[in-house]
């Protein structure tokens, strides 16, 4: 058995990190989402569900606005060499044309504190949330939002750009275009294909404009978006409508944006979470009952391999900027990470240029319309005291980052591990990968 044990090494200089977004962790932000939540919890539909409104109001989030030094220490304690976090547009420009100097200074301090710890900075400029005044003016369905966003980007480039190593202009723009303007799950809750198309076009132009602006000042900047790149399959492989639906969703979900911006990205930012089986019956996703996270998302590590291989057609370096799971009792996270990394490594061996892996998330945080119940953190956060506590999987991830490798056993005759082994140097087996 010992003989079969292999250390899978990642390339030198591989980026290891954790990801958060401004709204989900900072706390104390007023924007279009906070306004939406306030209205939502008062609605009849919400009241009928008898849910606790406090769980669905972002409010103080993880108080990371005040605790960023502590959070950076936690990130550093995992032996990561990079960290991804966001800047909140609504803080910088709370009213149209009014720049909040104190907030710009705040982010300058956060960036300096990150650099001081020797961490590379990956900074998201827009992660779904907008200043309330932008939403009132029509949000991303309004062309003017592009101009306004670019003014904000210009300011960030000027004031903070020197300390930003990797830029994420937009986080998962297609998801927001779809959920906000077509399916209507997220604010502004529109159900219009026309508005969806408009929002998509405006987001594409926003990215291209931002790319150009950043490169004007920093010709060697590394600029991209993140794209939610899950692995899609038709629910029934022999059923033509399911197959067509898969094609359409994969086109809009993965190809559309990258096709349009391919000349304006320096790398590809990938967010991978799950396999999705598509079916024509609303809500169009066939839920699986086994091997799922606390949010019901199917755990499918092999999918990251397919996605990476697929995205390699764009011929750009790839950075995985989100991958993780809701797992309150931490019984699956360590294995989840290792198995996904096994397939990332396999893609690298097959020639895919993957440069980094960022785990979502450093902390338990506010999971959008699902509120505080899903626990995505390597560190748990006490909702009353904000005390952070490392989960066991944090130790496992820390060891991976430290050694730039995972341990893997090739013996197929060895029975799969049937219980999660939290031991830091735990190996897992090829037979356990399905
Ligand atoms: C991604 C989002 C991120 C987080 C994870 C779980 O799609 O970008 O903010 O909510 O899902």
């Amino acid at each position: 058995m010992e003989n079969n044990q292999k250390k899978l090494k990642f390339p030198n200089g591989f980026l290891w990190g954790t990801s958060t977004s401004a709204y989900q962790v900072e706390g104390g932000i007023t924007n279009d989402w906070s306004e939406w939540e306030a209205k939502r919890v008062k609605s009849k539909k919400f009241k009928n569900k008898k849910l606790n409104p406090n769980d669905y109001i972002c409010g103080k989030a993880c108080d990371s606005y005040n605790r960023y030094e502590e959070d950076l220490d936690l990130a550093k304690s995992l032996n990561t060499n990079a960290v991804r976090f966001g800047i909140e547009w609504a803080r910088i420009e709370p009213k149209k044309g009014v720049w909040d100097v104190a907030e710009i200074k705040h982010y300058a301090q956060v960036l300096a504190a990150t650099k001081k710890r020797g961490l590379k900075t990956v900074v998201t400029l827009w992660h779904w949330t907008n200043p309330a005044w932008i939403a009132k003016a029509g949000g991303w369905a309004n062309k003017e939002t592009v101009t306004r966003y670019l003014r904000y980007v210009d300011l960030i480039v000027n004031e903070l750009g020197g300390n930003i190593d990797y830029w994420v202009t937009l986080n998962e723009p297609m998801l927001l275009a779809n959920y906000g303007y077509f399916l209507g799950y997220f604010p502004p809750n529109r159900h219009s294909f026309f508005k969806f198309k408009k929002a998509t076009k405006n987001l594409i132009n926003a990215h291209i404009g931002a790319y150009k602006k950043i490169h004007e000042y920093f010709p060697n900047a590394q600029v991209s978006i993140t794209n939610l790149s899950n692995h899609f399959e038709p629910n029934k492989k022999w059923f033509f409508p399911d197959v067509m639906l898969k094609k359409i969703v994969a086109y809009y979900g993965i190809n559309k944006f990258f096709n349009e911006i391919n000349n304006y990205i320096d790398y590809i930012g990938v967010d991978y979470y799950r396999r999705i089986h598509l079916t024509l019956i609303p809500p169009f996703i066939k839920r699986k009952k086994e091997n799922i996270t606390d949010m019901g998302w199917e755990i499918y590590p092999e999918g990251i391999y397919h996605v990476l291989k697929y995205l390699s057609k764009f011929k750009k370096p790839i950075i995985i900027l989100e991958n993780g799971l809701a797992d309150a009792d931490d019984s699956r996270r360590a294995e989840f990470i290792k198995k996904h990394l096994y397939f990332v490594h396999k893609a690298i061996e097959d020639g895919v240029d993957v440069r980094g892996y960022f785990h979502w998330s450093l902390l338990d945080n506010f999971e959008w319309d699902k509120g505080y119940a899903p626990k995505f953190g390597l560190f748990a956060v006490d909702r009353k005291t904000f005390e952070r506590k490392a989960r066991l999987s944090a130790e496992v991830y820390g060891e991976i980052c430290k050694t730039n490798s995972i341990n893997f056993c090739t013996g197929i005759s060895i029975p799969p591990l049937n219980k999660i082994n939290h031991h830091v140097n735990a190996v897992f087996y090829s037979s356990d990968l399905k």
Side-chain angles (χ1 to χ4, degrees):
M1 173 173 155
E2 282 302 309
N3 292 343
N4 289 338
Q5 193 164 317
K6 269 214 289 193
K7 218 182 200 15
L8 300 183
K9 270 266 177 203
F10 284 81
N12 288 340
F14 196 76
L15 294 173
W16 292 105
T18 52
S19 275
T20 56
S21 86
Y23 188 62
Q24 290 174 278
V25 300
E26 283 186 2
I29 295 174
T30 304
N31 60 21
D32 58 344
W33 269 82
S34 66
E35 294 195 345
W36 177 74
E37 288 153 22
K39 270 198 226 128
R40 181 186 186 214
V41 299
K42 284 192 204 117
S43 73
K44 228 177 160 179
K45 204 166 148 199
F46 185 91
K47 282 188 177 150
N48 287 346
K49 287 187 186 155
K50 299 209 181 341
L51 301 166
N52 179 355
N54 291 335
D55 293 338
Y56 293 85
I57 297 275
C58 184
K60 287 191 170 174
C62 308
D63 194 31
S64 293
Y65 184 79
N66 298 308
R67 294 167 199 255
Y68 66 89
E69 296 261 5
E70 184 186 345
D71 290 349
L72 289 169
D73 286 341
L74 297 182
K76 184 81 190 162
S77 75
L78 299 171
N79 308 305
T80 51
N81 53 20
V83 63
R84 176 182 171 213
F85 55 81
I87 292 178
E88 181 70 26
W89 182 7
R91 278 196 195 280
I92 303 282
E93 195 180 3
K95 288 193 193 127
K96 187 174 168 187
V98 178
W99 305 115
D100 191 324
V101 179
E103 297 292 15
I104 298 168
K105 213 166 143 198
H106 168 80
Y107 286 113
Q109 283 162 351
V110 175
L111 283 161
T114 314
K115 286 286 176 184
K116 202 173 119 200
R117 286 164 176 81
L119 297 168
K120 287 232 176 339
T121 53
V122 181
V123 177
T124 313
L125 302 183
W126 177 88
H127 199 124
W128 297 346
T129 55
N130 304 296
W133 60 270
I134 282 281
K136 285 194 185 96
W140 285 97
N142 180 358
K143 211 162 112 192
E144 275 295 298
T145 298
V146 179
T147 318
R148 290 163 183 164
Y149 169 78
L150 291 177
R151 256 188 0 219
Y152 154 69
V153 173
D154 191 65
L155 180 102
I156 300 297
V157 175
N158 267 291
E159 299 292 331
L160 306 171
N163 268 342
I164 298 180
D165 297 308
Y166 293 85
W167 301 76
V168 178
T169 56
L170 305 171
N171 178 77
E172 300 180 4
M174 286 312 292
L175 185 125
L176 196 279
N178 184 16
Y179 278 22
Y181 295 87
F182 183 52
L183 294 177
Y185 302 153
F186 286 0
N189 310 99
R190 297 286 179 267
H191 296 273
S192 152
F193 190 65
F194 178 65
K195 286 217 154 71
F196 161 75
K197 296 264 286 184
K198 265 189 157 175
T200 305
K201 188 166 168 224
N202 290 334
L203 286 159
I204 288 167
N205 289 336
H207 168 76
I208 294 175
Y211 176 91
K212 289 184 179 161
K213 214 168 255 306
I214 297 164
H215 275 268
E216 244 173 62
Y217 291 83
F218 301 103
N220 299 324
Q222 290 293 309
V223 183
S224 192
I225 61 157
T226 62
N227 193 63
L228 183 59
S229 307
N230 285 318
H231 178 72
F232 298 110
E233 281 182 23
N235 184 41
K236 293 190 183 94
K237 286 201 171 88
W238 46 265
F239 189 51
F240 183 68
D242 285 3
V243 176
M244 280 315 288
L245 183 65
K246 185 239 144 177
K247 286 208 165 126
I248 294 167
V249 171
Y251 171 74
Y252 274 107
I254 301 184
N255 283 284
K256 173 77 182 156
F257 225 87
F258 284 134
N259 282 344
E260 302 274 353
I261 65 171
N262 196 22
N263 293 331
Y264 305 97
I265 42 173
D266 302 296
Y267 67 94
I268 288 201
V270 172
D271 294 353
Y272 175 80
Y273 285 93
R274 56 174 169 152
R275 169 161 68 175
I276 297 177
H277 290 92
L278 292 161
T279 161
L280 269 194
I281 304 159
F284 309 108
I285 293 176
K286 176 82 188 162
R287 292 268 177 204
K288 297 285 160 190
K289 295 201 175 69
E290 276 170 13
N291 206 17
I292 54 174
T293 71
D294 295 352
M295 275 175 64
W297 294 358
E298 188 191 359
I299 299 177
Y300 187 61
E302 193 184 316
I304 202 168
Y305 172 79
H306 298 305
V307 161
L308 291 171
K309 287 282 280 188
Y310 183 76
L311 288 172
S312 66
K313 73 174 180 183
F314 292 105
K315 305 214 178 315
K316 304 271 166 157
I318 299 177
I319 307 178
I320 297 149
L321 286 174
E322 287 181 30
N323 173 238
L325 77 167
D327 182 26
D329 67 7
D330 202 39
S331 60
R332 289 157 294 179
R333 189 171 285 102
E335 286 301 297
F336 179 100
I337 294 174
K338 283 194 284 183
K339 287 179 184 173
H340 281 77
L341 285 173
Y342 167 83
F343 282 108
V344 172
H345 189 273
K346 188 171 156 63
I348 295 173
E349 274 187 335
D350 285 1
V352 184
D353 186 7
V354 187
R355 304 273 176 96
Y357 173 90
F358 289 67
H359 191 73
W360 183 276
S361 182
L362 179 69
L363 307 169
D364 288 346
N365 59 52
F366 184 72
E367 181 51 27
W368 306 110
D369 57 328
K370 306 287 180 298
Y372 283 110
K375 307 291 183 201
F376 274 91
L378 290 162
F379 292 86
V381 178
D382 185 297
R383 293 275 355 114
K384 288 206 177 78
T385 64
F386 300 110
E387 191 200 340
R388 280 84 163 122
K389 216 169 160 195
R391 294 203 163 97
L392 282 165
S393 52
E395 209 185 320
V396 176
Y397 188 52
E399 191 63 18
I400 292 171
C401 300
K402 187 172 164 192
T403 58
N404 197 29
S405 65
I406 50 166
N407 288 328
F408 174 67
C409 190
T410 56
I412 47 161
S413 58
I414 297 162
L417 296 179
N418 56 7
K419 93 176 188 319
I420 304 303
N421 189 344
H422 280 301
H423 188 265
V424 169
N425 283 316
V427 292
F428 65 95
Y429 304 110
S430 53
S431 53
D432 192 32
L433 284 169
K434 294 284 166 201

